[in-house]
Amino acid sequence: MAVELPARECDVLVIGSGVGGLSAAVTAGLNGLDVQVIEKDRVFGGTTAFSGGVLWIPDNHLARQQGIDDSQAAARTYLQSEAGESFRPEVVDAFLKNGPEMLRFFEEKTRFRCNLYQYPDYHPDAPGGVMRGRSVVPEAFDIRELGDAMPRLRKPLRTITFMGMMFSSSNNDLKHFFNATRSLTSFAYVVKRLSRHLLEVARYGRGITANGGNAVVARLACSARDLGIPIHTGVAAKDLIVERGVVRGVEVELNGERVRLYARRGVVLASGGFARDESRLKKLYPHVRRGGIQLSPTPPGVDTGDGIAMAERIGARFDDSYANGAAWIPASKVQIGRQSYVFPHLVDRYKPGFIMINRHGVRFCNEADSYHDVGIAMIETCRDDNETFAWQICDRRALRKYGMGFAKPAPIPVSLYLKNGYLVEGKTLAELAQKMGVPTAAFEETVSRYNADARLGKDPQFGRGESAYNRYLGDATHQPNPCVAPIEQGPFYAVKLYMGDLGTFHGLKTDGEARVLDNQGLPIPGLYAAGNEMASMMGGSYPGAGITLGPAATFGYIAARSMAARGETAMQLDREAS
């Protein structure tokens, strides 16, 4: 998989190297097609490499092996309940039918291996929701298997690593790090992992044991390597080539020149959506249009909407009809040296002893709900403000036990985060309110009201810790409520949270075969989409862990199988029909 110039013609051309693109490439290769992948960045993996690597695949074989009862019908009911008026039956049914098939196919034919994630749906009590079985995570992977392509694998998101070390998407893995100063078993676990990681960094310049999204990408990229499929980095797609109404390839920029690459069976757009397209964000997101910022931990310069724009120029339909156009998440800004980074608040919000307040100093949601639900609540509570933000609050006890955002728990010194302004500290609640710029009386009343119930392990105001999903990411050792504890041991701390996203939901309209549709609702011959390039089949909802990567992998698989089945006869019919 050494870097080489792309061939000028192949069967299938894939644009983008995240899970959607690599899934399409590997599936096409296993169906005997000549495939190549192009990626505009100098590294491959896209946003997938930054992610937790979870795939939401209902009714999968791993769940059945553990005796978990699920069905496509139940999952369909759940998705219909979650998506509401944005429910898309054809696309949903294609996903539910092909998702389990894709997972088994990859496990049997490629290096892709997964374990069941013991994770409830985000709304397990909704019709069709389940307590576990639909989310799967990749097994850890030794990236030395990539050979000379290893340096081109995108490194994990810096802010959610510790000294560059990746974590698996497992609550049990993180528990050892939270408990390292209180448990000899956890301390030994942490020492062993850190020692191994530091040895790897000394020898290879990075950790070699990939977890999460890095493992997803590495496993699929190795499978592509096994099939002789090249991943060309540093090749930017500029325009689709259309001949007689059929997409025949892509014009790319290579070494400063425009070059035409042709694809006999079709082109798959999988370059990641538009999370970094500022003009489109301002047009579509009212909180950005009002002057607020949108923080995205997606890789800079990657998810800039290039694939969507190319498709629109040839008549593709962009679907922006969803009430929520992205996978919202509260995020904080982290300054490391002269560089600014984004920290997505995935775990800390669930722990006991944390709450969130708005600019008026009052709580506005169940902070232990899913990041998407909390994001929706943030947008709503700030709907009349220029800036969309909130403050996350805790006391010293919670901070030293769990950390908050990028601020690590004990024994890492708090002074590191106070010095660079990441954390705000107040010896009293009144001092903290003054530093945050929120009304002191309202803030003190908010904390007092919360504490009165929290001492009993309750939160009657928002029901924090009442759902199975809340409790799963709480602290099971803290009873009676793993998500609730009073905030009363000063000094007190706050971190400012902004509106962020884990990727976009608006996208190109597609059908059940992953074919891109035009403005009349007809398939554009030779053009397919997967991942965040296509409009989310979830209808702007976020019903469970892995609802981005699961469908991305599935529709990459569907697109490749559709191209393999069509053959040259179908392509000729397309040309004649046009």
Side-chain angles (χ1 to χ4, degrees):
M1 230 157 60
V3 179
E4 57 186 29
L5 296 178
R8 297 302 175 92
E9 189 168 10
C10 61
D11 289 324
V12 175
L13 187 60
V14 177
I15 303 173
S17 59
V19 66
L22 293 178
S23 169
V26 170
T27 304
L30 287 167
N31 278 273
L33 301 181
D34 178 20
V35 188
Q36 55 184 356
V37 179
I38 61 172
E39 165 63 57
K40 73 173 182 178
D41 209 349
R42 295 293 177 181
V43 292
F44 61 84
T47 300
T48 303
F50 272 5
S51 74
V54 185
L55 290 82
W56 195 74
I57 306 291
D59 196 28
N60 64 75
H61 67 282
L62 299 176
R64 288 196 296 276
Q65 289 170 3
Q66 294 191 20
I68 296 173
D69 186 27
D70 194 11
S71 68
Q72 291 181 28
R76 192 180 197 275
T77 297
Y78 183 58
L79 288 176
Q80 189 163 11
S81 171
E82 293 288 293
E85 293 182 359
S86 297
F87 182 70
R88 300 166 60 195
E90 179 190 359
V91 179
V92 168
D93 290 343
F95 166 69
L96 294 175
K97 176 182 181 295
N98 287 277
E101 184 180 293
M102 174 275 300
L103 186 61
R104 183 181 287 278
F105 178 79
F106 278 4
E107 289 213 321
E108 291 177 352
K109 304 290 186 180
T110 77
R111 295 176 184 246
F112 201 70
R113 300 288 183 276
C114 282
N115 294 316
L116 197 66
Y117 199 7
Q118 304 301 322
Y119 212 106
D121 283 339
Y122 287 171
H123 307 121
D125 298 325
V130 299
M131 294 299 297
R132 65 190 183 105
R134 290 175 176 169
S135 297
V136 301
V137 292
E139 293 182 0
F141 189 70
D142 187 335
I143 64 174
R144 288 175 295 184
E145 295 291 326
L146 286 166
D148 58 6
M150 187 176 80
R152 293 193 294 132
L153 171 65
R154 183 182 299 284
K155 291 182 179 180
L157 182 62
R158 182 172 180 178
T159 53
I160 60 172
T161 65
F162 181 63
M163 300 174 65
M165 181 169 55
M166 292 176 268
F167 296 94
S168 67
S169 295
S170 164
N171 204 27
N172 293 327
D173 191 36
L174 292 173
K175 282 177 181 176
H176 286 297
F177 283 81
F178 285 134
N179 294 325
T181 60
R182 294 177 294 276
S183 162
L184 285 176
T185 299
S186 292
F187 179 77
Y189 178 92
V190 170
V191 168
K192 183 178 179 180
R193 280 212 61 187
L194 276 174
S195 298
R196 185 174 70 236
H197 174 71
L198 292 174
L199 287 173
E200 291 172 358
V201 171
R203 183 171 180 182
Y204 300 103
R206 64 179 293 173
I208 61 168
T209 304
N211 285 290
N214 245 233
V216 169
V217 172
R219 286 184 170 278
L220 288 173
C222 267
S223 300
R225 176 192 177 102
D226 294 341
L227 293 164
I229 298 171
I231 301 175
H232 302 287
T233 51
V235 181
K238 294 297 182 181
D239 281 296
L240 294 165
I241 300 170
V242 181
E243 296 178 355
R244 299 176 64 183
V246 179
V247 173
R248 298 293 291 158
V250 179
E251 189 173 284
V252 304
E253 189 173 280
L254 184 61
N255 298 325
E257 296 182 3
R258 288 289 185 110
V259 177
R260 289 192 156 210
L261 306 179
Y262 288 90
R264 289 180 288 269
R265 300 293 181 95
V267 172
V268 181
L269 299 176
S271 56
F274 61 94
R276 294 283 186 167
D277 183 348
E278 294 296 332
S279 61
R280 203 180 288 263
L281 294 180
K282 186 172 291 188
K283 177 183 176 182
L284 294 174
Y285 299 160
H287 63 279
V288 177
R289 192 162 54 246
R290 291 195 302 268
I293 64 172
Q294 178 77 13
L295 293 182
S296 181
T298 59
V302 174
D303 299 341
T304 51
D306 300 349
I308 292 171
M310 288 193 303
E312 285 183 307
R313 286 196 291 272
I314 67 165
R317 179 182 173 187
F318 178 74
D319 186 354
D320 60 358
S321 63
Y322 300 150
N324 293 288
W328 308 126
I329 187 168
S332 53
K333 292 192 288 188
V334 179
Q335 197 70 29
I336 304 177
R338 297 182 179 181
Q339 189 73 30
S340 182
Y341 296 89
V342 176
F343 184 94
H345 286 251
L346 293 159
V347 177
D348 54 349
R349 296 176 293 101
Y350 304 85
K351 304 304 183 202
F354 294 85
I355 61 171
M356 291 168 59
I357 61 165
N358 60 20
R359 70 180 181 89
H360 304 292
V362 300
R363 293 177 69 203
F364 56 91
C365 70
N366 178 346
E367 304 90 346
D369 278 346
S370 79
Y371 35 84
H372 186 60
D373 290 345
V374 173
I376 292 172
M378 277 182 64
I379 292 173
E380 173 61 23
T381 198
C382 298
R383 70 182 185 276
D384 297 323
D385 304 330
N386 290 333
E387 187 179 19
T388 299
F389 74 96
W391 292 95
Q392 183 163 273
I393 312 297
C394 72
D395 63 9
R396 180 174 178 80
R397 177 178 57 184
L399 180 69
R400 302 316 288 147
K401 185 173 184 179
Y402 304 110
M404 180 161 63
F406 189 67
K408 303 299 186 290
I412 306 299
V414 174
S415 59
L416 295 175
Y417 311 105
L418 295 173
K419 184 177 180 181
N420 69 5
Y422 182 73
L423 287 182
V424 178
E425 180 186 59
K427 292 183 177 60
T428 65
L429 291 173
E431 182 182 349
L432 186 63
Q434 187 273 325
K435 289 184 176 180
M436 290 187 294
V438 303
T440 300
F443 178 52
E444 289 181 324
E445 169 59 26
T446 292
V447 176
S448 176
R449 177 182 179 182
Y450 168 78
N451 283 347
D453 297 309
R455 293 184 187 103
L456 303 175
K458 297 179 180 180
D459 178 26
Q461 187 177 9
F462 291 107
R464 183 180 172 97
E466 292 182 7
S467 77
Y469 172 71
N470 282 187
R471 293 191 297 272
Y472 182 81
L473 285 175
D475 180 356
T477 66
H478 181 88
Q479 294 299 325
N481 190 326
C483 301
V484 173
I487 301 170
E488 53 191 359
Q489 295 187 7
F492 303 94
Y493 299 92
V495 63
K496 192 172 186 179
L497 306 181
Y498 298 88
M499 195 66 261
D501 68 80
L502 296 178
T504 49
F505 285 162
H506 296 319
L508 299 172
K509 193 84 169 182
T510 54
D511 65 9
E513 291 186 53
R515 297 180 298 182
V516 176
L517 304 180
D518 65 17
N519 288 309
Q520 285 71 49
L522 300 174
I524 297 175
L527 187 61
Y528 300 79
N532 288 345
E533 214 83 276
M534 62 178 278
S536 171
M537 51 150 284
M538 301 293 171
S541 65
Y542 207 108
I547 64 95
T548 299
L549 300 192
T554 301
F555 282 100
Y557 171 82
I558 290 171
R561 287 175 62 88
S562 177
M563 283 185 281
R566 293 178 71 210
E568 284 298 329
T569 301
M571 291 296 292
Q572 182 61 36
L573 290 174
D574 285 339
R575 286 190 287 270
E576 292 174 358
S578 66

